[in-house]
């Protein structure tokens, strides 16, 4: 049975906006001269990580190619910058976020993207991202405080600092009962396996909306999502004690 939800935190890339094709296309364009490519079993471990950690993880699969992390990131940034202003919202995103906003449900974004990239990706999509106001946590905001998802820090930071929820910090015995109860009122939406792990380790419920390709990859996480959907269009707010959509 689903918990009673009072606030909602969204991942961004691949969940709210269709950026995953950009990541895949650009990365494989960079790797092509070396005769290798990023397959979905490799990409599954990259998703949700902070920038340098993601690059390190990717290149660890291709130890024989003469491409440094800095070279890869430099090429990737230049190619991506030309494409970010073209990305679009994924199905069901506008309806859900506008609905939660209209019903005064606290909402935030927690993304591993750098702020410069987040602004490039969302500047033309303010009909949705404008509804979050300043309630967006980026990689810059948590630098040197987390290794990235599956560490739950970014979700706890979004709840604590952007939504003013008394969720505390840390995991395990360091978390007092009142903080556990407050965490349990949160719902996380994620498309990446490390993000699902982070949300569950934060003590929140998680709805997983993976790319269809990710479902063909063996799920390595210890924490399973509370619900798996093919699209945000399938989400039914009333199942989480949130206001239902108008008929």
């Amino acid at each position: 049975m689903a918990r009673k939800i009072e606030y909602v935190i969204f991942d961004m890339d691949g969940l709210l906006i269709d950026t995953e094709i950009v990541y895949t296309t650009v990365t494989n364009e960079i790797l092509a001269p070396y005769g290798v490519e990023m397959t979905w079993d490799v990409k599954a471990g990259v998703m949700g990580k902070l920038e340098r950690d993601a690059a390190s993880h990717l290149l660890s699969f291709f130890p024989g190619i003469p491409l440094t992390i800095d070279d890869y990131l430099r090429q990737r940034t230049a190619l991506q910058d030309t494409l970010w202003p073209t990305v679009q919202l994924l199905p069901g995103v506008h309806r859900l976020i506008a609905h939660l906003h209209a019903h005064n449900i606290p909402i935030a974004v927690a993304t591993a993207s750098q702020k410069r990239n987040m602004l490039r990706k969302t500047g033309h999509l303010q009909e949705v991202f404008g509804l979050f106001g300043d309630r967006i946590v980026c990689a810059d905001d948590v630098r040197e405080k987390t290794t990235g998802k599956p560490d739950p820090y970014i979700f706890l930071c979004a709840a604590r600092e952007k939504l003013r929820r008394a969720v505390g910090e840390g995991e395990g015995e360091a978390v007092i009962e009142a903080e556990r109860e407050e965490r349990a009122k949160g719902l996380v939406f994620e498309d990446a396996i490390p993000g699902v792990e982070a949300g569950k380790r934060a003590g929140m419920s998680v709805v997983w909306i993976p790319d269809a390709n990710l479902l063909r990859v063996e799920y390595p996480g210890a924490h399973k999502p509370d619900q798996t959907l093919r699209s945000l269009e399938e989400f039914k707010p009333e199942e989480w004690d949130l206001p239902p959509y108008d008929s």
Side-chain angles (χ1 to χ4, degrees):
M1 182 177 179
R3 303 171 177 178
K4 176 178 173 58
I5 297 303
E6 294 186 3
Y7 61 96
V8 181
I9 304 175
F10 295 90
D11 175 50
M12 185 180 72
D13 289 292
L15 177 84
L16 300 182
I17 51 179
D18 190 12
T19 53
E20 291 309 319
I21 185 63
V22 173
Y23 283 116
T24 301
T25 300
V26 165
T27 293
N28 282 334
E29 183 174 337
I30 296 169
L31 294 176
Y34 306 102
V36 297
E37 68 174 351
M38 178 178 68
T39 57
W40 268 95
D41 58 333
V42 174
K43 183 170 181 174
V46 171
M47 297 170 72
K49 284 184 166 59
L50 299 180
E51 183 177 68
R52 293 192 68 86
D53 291 334
S56 176
H57 181 84
L58 169 70
L59 295 178
S60 72
F61 286 87
F62 313 113
I65 67 175
L67 184 64
T68 68
I69 292 175
D70 287 333
D71 286 340
Y72 166 75
L73 290 176
R74 186 162 45 251
Q75 293 181 54
R76 193 198 68 169
T77 297
L79 290 168
Q80 288 177 347
D81 279 354
T82 67
L83 297 174
W84 291 144
T86 70
V87 301
Q88 297 299 313
L89 297 171
L90 284 162
V93 169
H94 190 288
R95 184 188 188 200
L96 176 57
I97 292 175
H99 174 73
L100 296 175
H101 177 77
H103 287 274
N104 297 311
I105 304 300
I107 55 175
V109 170
T111 174
S113 283
Q114 293 184 29
K115 186 160 292 184
R116 70 175 296 277
N117 293 335
M118 182 275 292
L119 294 172
R120 285 170 168 79
K121 295 170 185 177
T122 65
H124 60 298
L125 301 171
Q126 287 304 295
E127 72 275 15
V128 164
F129 285 90
L131 300 179
F132 289 101
D134 66 350
R135 298 183 300 277
I136 299 178
V137 178
C138 297
D140 314 58
D141 301 310
V142 296
R143 184 178 290 122
E144 298 182 0
K145 298 177 182 178
T146 176
T147 55
K149 302 168 186 175
D151 179 13
Y153 184 89
I154 195 167
F155 288 129
L156 295 172
C157 176
R160 184 178 61 252
E161 298 184 16
K162 298 299 183 179
L163 302 179
R164 305 304 178 195
R165 313 297 297 204
V167 296
E169 298 186 34
E171 300 177 73
E173 295 180 359
V175 185
I176 63 174
E177 184 60 30
E179 293 169 345
R180 293 184 189 280
E181 292 175 358
E182 191 68 10
R183 294 180 184 202
K185 298 172 184 177
L187 178 62
V188 166
F189 284 89
E190 263 287 354
D191 70 308
I193 293 171
V196 172
E197 292 283 302
K200 294 302 297 181
R201 285 172 55 182
M204 301 172 186
S205 297
V206 179
V207 175
W208 187 35
I209 305 179
D211 186 287
N213 291 289
L214 199 54
L215 291 174
R216 294 194 285 269
V217 176
E218 183 178 357
Y219 190 97
H223 302 88
K224 300 298 188 287
D226 297 276
Q227 186 177 45
T228 302
L229 303 175
R230 292 173 295 181
S231 164
L232 272 177
E233 291 182 304
E234 295 183 344
F235 181 70
K236 297 179 180 179
E238 63 273 18
E239 293 181 352
W240 297 90
D241 207 27
L242 293 165
Y245 287 127
D246 296 331
S247 58

